Amino acid sequence: MLLPHIIAGTFLATYYVFAHPMDSSQNLNIRFFPICEQINNETSSETSVFYPDDLLGRYVADIAHWASSSSQLSECSVRPGSAEDLAKILQIVGSTQTPFAVKGGGHASNPGFSSTDGVHISMTKFSQVTYDAQSQTAVIGAGLIWDDVYAALAPYGVNVVGGRVTGVGVAGFILGGDPGYSWLTNQHGLTIDTVVVFELVKPNGDIVNVTESSDPDLFFGLKGGGNNFGIVTRFTLKTFPQDQIWAGSITYTFDRIPDVATAIVNFSSTVTDPKAAIIATYNFLLGQPGILLLVFYDGPEPPATIFDDFLTVPHLTNDVSTRDFASFVEGIPSNATSGQRAIFQSVSLTEYTPAILDAIYNETVFWGSRLSLLSGSFISYDVEPFLPTLFSHGSQSAYPPSREKGLSPFNIYYAWSLPLSDDEFHDAARQSAAQIKAVAVAEGQDVSDVAIYLNYAIYDTPLEGLYGSNVPMLQVLKASIDPTNVMGLAGGFKL
């Protein structure tokens, strides 16, 4: 039993050195300890408060993130046991102007977006999944990751439009600006297009069920508007029948990249079957580039020829098979860099062309070679083509600000180990995204002013680059819901 305590202590000691350099002007105990005690005293026994000296590892688990650069050493962590207790916590931090964070699954890539040096709220106890066959909906707690949701719904033969890789949190995926690009998006839209009800704790402590009919403006804002309007405790989502799927991963060495690139272009420009999808990641590992391809078909077998261009290219590994949905998602190696520092940056594209893929390959090699010298462990460029009709399945929402044309996200993902290299990696991600965007614009893609995918967007992206013409409307809504700016005490893209 001693080992977990040693691990927890080592983690905290190491993290403190990197995240909290000596500063005599900032004594966290003096500033925020009384607030933590007030929360402990004024909430019910269902709610738990933990401090850094917790030897059972609960505090460490609460503040930990998939990316270590997204974690901070908070004064305490709090696990609310009910919406009523969460309302009390929001009232306390609001009245005392205490910085706080809200963490669902902990997959945020931007530093400070779901972490704080004040009160860290962990949604762990909001973990229910309840399926209603009559309404064909599922109520899903905000503390879950999608892996848990898929597993819980599988016995009923249904699924929801959720995350594509393992370890992604439900709440951040829907609310943190990541409105839900899914393996099922070509068929059913973004995840926000399938939300029926948000249970929301407003900044003033009111607990409300927000629907399109009960409060259309707030419902609009919650669909992609981040954590600006309060804290959502659970979501009611539409469900869809789910049979077995044909899916898996294929890896290719650098000498096969031209052939795979040709297959990507052919797939994204000719395949219109909404059940078919791919993600192709150009990765720089061990001194050279390669491609990890994820293929998906929503059925036990795909129609002939859809994926033939990929299957005929000689590969290094291939685990594509007929399987259940949950096992496919859980098997995707997205947690391979868990515990590293990380950053995302994004570009929205209308199509993936040979010139775009050539530019992506060049960026992979250029930045992979350079950033590897700065403790870079994983340099990845993620090609994610969707059908141009993907936005047609839903109504207006905070994101995307326009649904007139479909946009496929393109993600840049860097992982590294040394905190001293943070600025170099952040700057490289910005420069690389600008280069890809310049190539797209030069080709004639009308993407110079389109919004980018929020949870792929780097932390200093202007609001207009996320919400476009929706910014003024969202700011008015924010002021009406949160006139004292309680949610401004938490991280994220702030309206």
Side-chain angles (χ1 to χ4, degrees), residues 72-106:
Q72 289 177 263
L73 191 65
S74 62
E75 178 59 34
C76 63
S77 70
V78 181
R79 296 181 183 178
S82 65
E84 290 74 18
D85 277 357
L86 182 56
K88 171 58 70 173
I89 294 165
L90 264 185
Q91 291 172 323
I92 291 172
V93 297
S95 64
T96 59
Q97 289 293 288
T98 300
F100 70 97
V102 185
K103 191 191 95 172

Side-chain angles (χ1 to χ4, degrees), residues 400-437:
S402 171
R403 290 178 177 256
E404 293 181 0
K405 60 183 176 185
L407 296 171
S408 290
F410 165 70
N411 187 38
I412 296 169
Y413 163 41
Y414 298 155
W416 67 101
S417 59
L418 295 179
L420 293 176
S421 298
D422 286 0
D423 289 344
E424 285 85 355
F425 279 86
H426 298 174
D427 289 343
R430 295 186 190 97
Q431 292 180 48
S432 196
Q435 174 62 19
I436 298 299
K437 185 174 183 177

